[in-house]
């Protein structure tokens, strides 16, 4: 575990005009504990629905020497009371990767205004993007990324109303064209096309190397559950399956739980029927 500290501004600090995205990095650098940290978590920078994270990203890049000991970075760690995930205005991370080649873990929350650009991160082991809708351009950046050390990939796919402008084809191309030789944990979650994603993942090359598969928080129904039953045991390397928050029937849950691996089927939303709108867990 990294030695971590979260930096965040309250509403009062922002309203008084003292704190904003422009002051965040200066405050981090001035913190007496900063030199001992390995992980920096950045929460609300004050009106994150009006002001983008670009100032924070750019200031980290400008002070890259002072951030050279930071191995893990999370930008946007705020709950819905601070800012709805779909309202968080992010920024362009392309230059951050070259500025922080030592980075092992990056978590980004929010996809409005998000761009990754060309991703070259030789030491990055974990990449997680939490959002209500992932833009196709970001999916393509991940697809083309140079991430030879990547062990864990978590992408919240989301829905069209909150930023997802792609299709299952983009997910299939991500799985087919990307090259993550060290990948162990694959999580493509929170999607309204979770059944289609389930099929794409089970047909992908990564099934032969991962040990943990997560298809949770989306609209997974018995159709997707049957795909898992039919194909998952072809891959004895997979030891854990997480499908929590789903629309599976009791019978399908029992069948999945009977598989000789660790299975999480928590948060049943009732089997799919004409009266239930199968909606992902995190959108707004």
């Amino acid at each position: 575990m990294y030695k971590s500290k979260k930096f965040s501004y309250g509403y009062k600090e922002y309203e008084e005009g003292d704190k904003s995205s422009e002051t965040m990095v200066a405050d981090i650098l001035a913190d007496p504990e900063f030199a001992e940290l390995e992980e920096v978590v950045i929460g609300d920078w004050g009106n994150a629905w009006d002001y983008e994270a670009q100032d924070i990203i750019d200031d980290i890049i400008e002070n890259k020497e002072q951030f050279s000991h930071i191995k893990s970075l999370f930008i946007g760690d705020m709950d819905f009371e601070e800012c709805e995930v779909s309202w968080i205005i992010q920024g362009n991370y392309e230059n951050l990767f070259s500025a922080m080649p030592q980075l092992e873990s990056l978590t980004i929350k929010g996809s409005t205004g998000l761009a990754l650009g060309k991703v070259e991160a030789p030491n990055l082991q974990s990449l997680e993007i939490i959002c209500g809708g992932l833009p196709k351009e970001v999916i393509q950046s991940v697809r083309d990324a140079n991430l030879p050390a990547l062990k864990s990939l978590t992408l919240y796919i989301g829905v069209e109303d909150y930023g997802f402008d792609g299709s299952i084809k983009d997910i299939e191309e991500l799985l087919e064209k990307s090259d993550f030789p060290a990948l162990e944990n694959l999580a493509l979650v929170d999607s309204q096309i979770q059944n289609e994603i389930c099929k794409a993942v089970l047909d992908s090359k990564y099934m032969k190397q991962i040990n943990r598969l997560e298809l949770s928080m989306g609209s997974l129904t018995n159709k997707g559950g049957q795909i898992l039953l039919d194909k998952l045991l072809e891959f004895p390397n997979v030891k854990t399956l997480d499908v929590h928050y789903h629309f599976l029937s009791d019978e399908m849950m029992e069948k999945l739980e009977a598989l000789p691996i660790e299975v999480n089927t928590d948060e049943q939303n009732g089997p799919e029927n004409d009266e239930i709108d199968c909606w992902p867990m995190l959108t707004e």
Side-chain angles (χ1 to χ4, degrees):
M1 293 290 293
Y2 302 109
K3 184 172 182 180
S4 178
K5 187 169 184 178
K6 182 174 179 177
F7 298 85
S8 183
Y9 295 145
Y11 183 73
K12 184 178 180 181
E13 291 175 295
Y14 169 75
E15 280 293 291
E16 290 177 349
D18 296 326
K19 304 297 182 181
S20 70
S21 59
E22 295 179 350
T23 63
M24 178 63 75
V25 170
D27 284 346
I28 293 172
L29 292 174
D31 189 284
E33 296 181 82
F34 176 67
E36 300 175 4
L37 299 179
E38 295 176 298
E39 178 178 62
V40 168
V41 178
I42 298 174
D44 189 3
W45 48 86
N47 265 25
W49 57 88
D50 280 334
Y51 298 96
E52 61 186 14
Q54 196 64 54
D55 286 329
I56 296 170
I57 298 167
D58 290 345
D59 286 348
I60 291 174
I61 294 168
E62 184 177 343
N63 294 278
K64 60 184 180 181
E65 292 83 6
Q66 292 172 270
F67 276 83
S68 62
H69 62 292
I70 300 300
K71 297 179 180 179
S72 180
L73 185 63
F74 185 166
I75 298 183
D77 182 22
M78 56 193 92
D79 62 28
F80 71 93
E81 292 182 343
E82 295 169 299
C83 186
E84 295 282 3
V85 65
S86 63
W87 298 358
I88 299 171
I89 306 177
Q90 274 290 341
N92 190 319
Y93 284 75
E94 182 168 7
N95 293 329
L96 182 76
F97 295 110
S98 57
M100 299 185 73
Q102 79 283 359
L103 203 63
E104 295 177 353
S105 176
L106 175 63
T107 302
I108 299 167
K109 189 170 184 179
S111 62
T112 300
L114 175 63
L116 297 183
K118 185 178 181 181
V119 180
E120 296 275 353
N123 293 300
L124 196 70
Q125 298 177 26
S126 176
L127 175 62
E128 181 174 12
I129 303 176
I130 305 165
C131 64
L134 196 61
K136 178 168 62 175
E137 179 181 305
V138 176
I139 297 173
Q140 291 169 346
S141 287
V142 176
R143 178 196 70 194
D144 298 334
N146 180 20
L147 299 171
L150 190 70
K151 294 181 179 180
S152 179
L153 176 64
T154 301
L155 300 178
Y156 285 56
I157 305 302
V159 299
E160 181 179 357
D161 289 348
Y162 293 101
F164 176 59
D165 57 357
S167 68
I168 189 60
K169 181 179 178 182
D170 297 291
I171 305 301
E172 290 169 345
E173 289 183 354
L174 165 67
L175 294 165
E176 177 185 353
K177 297 181 180 181
S178 60
D179 183 17
F180 307 137
L183 194 68
E184 298 175 354
N185 171 50
L186 177 60
L188 300 182
V189 303
D190 195 56
S191 175
Q192 201 167 13
I193 56 170
Q194 201 70 57
N195 288 332
E196 295 174 80
I197 290 176
C198 180
K199 182 179 185 305
V201 170
L202 268 290
D203 288 340
S204 76
K205 60 188 177 186
Y206 291 115
M207 288 304 299
K208 296 178 181 179
Q209 70 183 70
I210 62 172
N211 54 48
R212 186 178 186 278
L213 173 62
E214 184 171 355
L215 299 165
S216 64
M217 296 184 276
S219 59
L220 190 74
T221 67
N222 285 353
K223 181 178 180 181
Q226 191 61 52
I227 293 171
L228 290 166
L229 285 176
D230 291 344
K231 302 200 69 173
L232 196 56
L233 292 184
E234 296 177 15
F235 308 100
N237 48 290
V238 179
K239 306 300 182 184
T240 303
L241 171 67
D242 186 346
V243 293
H244 79 272
Y245 187 99
H246 57 79
F247 296 84
L248 302 170
S249 66
D250 290 342
E251 181 182 7
M252 181 59 70
M253 288 174 60
E254 291 175 4
K255 289 179 179 179
L256 289 173
E257 290 166 357
L259 292 172
I261 61 173
E262 180 182 345
V263 179
N264 182 353
T265 59
D266 292 347
E267 298 182 68
Q268 181 192 35
N269 290 281
E272 179 187 24
N273 60 49
D274 292 340
E275 298 178 358
I276 293 179
D277 184 10
C278 298
W279 198 248
M281 186 176 78
L282 181 66
T283 53
E284 188 175 18

